[in-house]
Amino acid sequence: MGRKSLSVKRRKEIIRSFYRIAKKIGLENTSIAKVAEDMQISNGLVMHYFKTRDELLIGLNEYILEQHLNMVNSIEYGDMDNRKSLENFITDLFSRKWNKYFDDGVFYSCYALIYRKEDFNTSFRKYLEKLHQVLQTKLLEAKSHGVISNDNVPEITEVIFALIDGSYYYLGMFDQKDKTYEQQEKLYIKYAIKLLDFSCDPS
């Protein structure tokens, strides 16, 4: 049990090092050798846990998913038993609070790999499906509390995430202090929330 726990810990340390280096010099320039140098261990020890760089990339993808889930499952939102909680949750999905958990440059470098690596494509798709599932669960929870009355929750989930992904990609080109950034972000949030039927919610 102790050996397995140590193995999991060491794998996470390697992935975090890989992430830090990718954030600093770009994912395309990050290698097993650079991870070993950063951690002051041998290449062989890194390869004991990750046989190839591709395996390490999959590990990085799982790490990013974990960071995403840390954000969307944050306890600060509480139960989706009122309109305000649900609106706050959806608003934050559009915000740059994500940056607290992962770097945009690393994320989009990972995204580019789905076109070149089949196994990474599969891993990345599963990761996105899990994020969609979290939002769908939140919406179903709100419905169970009578906050919304939509019958097409799965469809709404997909449309909201399409808005989130599109806005995040587009707004990444703007400074957050830019007026355009603020205006566009509010616009996307407005239309995402408009998809929800609050007619049965007394608040």
Side-chain angles (χ1 to χ4, degrees), residues 32-197:
I32 285 176
K34 283 189 168 65
V35 171
E37 182 183 354
D38 178 66
M39 297 183 69
Q40 298 185 320
I41 58 177
S42 69
N43 287 6
L45 187 53
V46 176
M47 294 178 73
H48 173 73
Y49 295 98
F50 299 95
K51 303 298 182 193
T52 64
R53 186 174 182 274
D54 281 358
E55 283 189 15
L56 196 43
L57 284 169
I58 298 294
L60 177 63
N61 185 53
E62 291 169 354
Y63 173 74
I64 290 175
L65 169 62
E66 185 181 310
Q67 301 311 300
H68 263 112
L69 292 178
N70 282 342
M71 188 261 184
V72 297
N73 285 321
S74 172
I75 57 171
E76 68 183 86
Y77 300 108
D79 293 332
M80 296 293 113
D81 57 0
N82 61 83
R83 179 171 182 162
K84 185 173 175 55
S85 290
L86 182 57
E87 288 187 347
N88 286 345
F89 175 72
I90 290 174
T91 297
D92 278 355
L93 291 179
F94 283 88
S95 78
R96 306 308 277 189
K97 285 188 177 184
W98 300 88
N99 290 357
K100 177 182 174 183
Y101 297 94
F102 70 93
D103 178 73
D104 285 345
V106 176
F107 173 79
Y108 283 114
S109 291
C110 285
Y111 177 76
L113 293 175
I114 69 172
Y115 299 102
R116 301 201 300 272
K117 297 179 182 293
E118 188 176 343
D119 56 345
F120 195 86
N121 184 303
T122 302
S123 173
F124 204 88
R125 187 170 65 251
K126 286 180 179 175
Y127 140 71
L128 287 178
E129 286 169 354
K130 285 185 180 178
L131 285 179
H132 287 214
Q133 187 60 51
V134 171
L135 174 57
Q136 184 171 311
T137 299
K138 296 284 188 184
L139 293 175
L140 288 171
E141 182 185 346
K143 184 176 180 179
S144 72
H145 285 293
V147 178
I148 58 174
S149 58
N150 301 77
D151 291 323
N152 56 340
V153 168
E155 288 180 12
I156 289 172
T157 300
E158 295 307 309
V159 175
I160 290 176
F161 254 107
L163 283 168
I164 292 167
D165 290 341
S167 68
Y168 212 76
Y169 177 81
Y170 176 65
L171 292 177
M173 295 182 285
F174 295 89
D175 189 301
Q176 280 182 262
K177 295 174 184 175
D178 192 310
K179 249 186 182 178
T180 302
Y181 182 99
E182 185 180 352
Q183 289 170 350
Q184 291 299 116
E185 184 183 49
K186 285 180 178 177
L187 180 68
Y188 303 139
I189 292 168
K190 180 176 107 175
Y191 278 95
I193 291 174
K194 269 191 172 185
L195 292 166
L196 304 174
D197 184 358

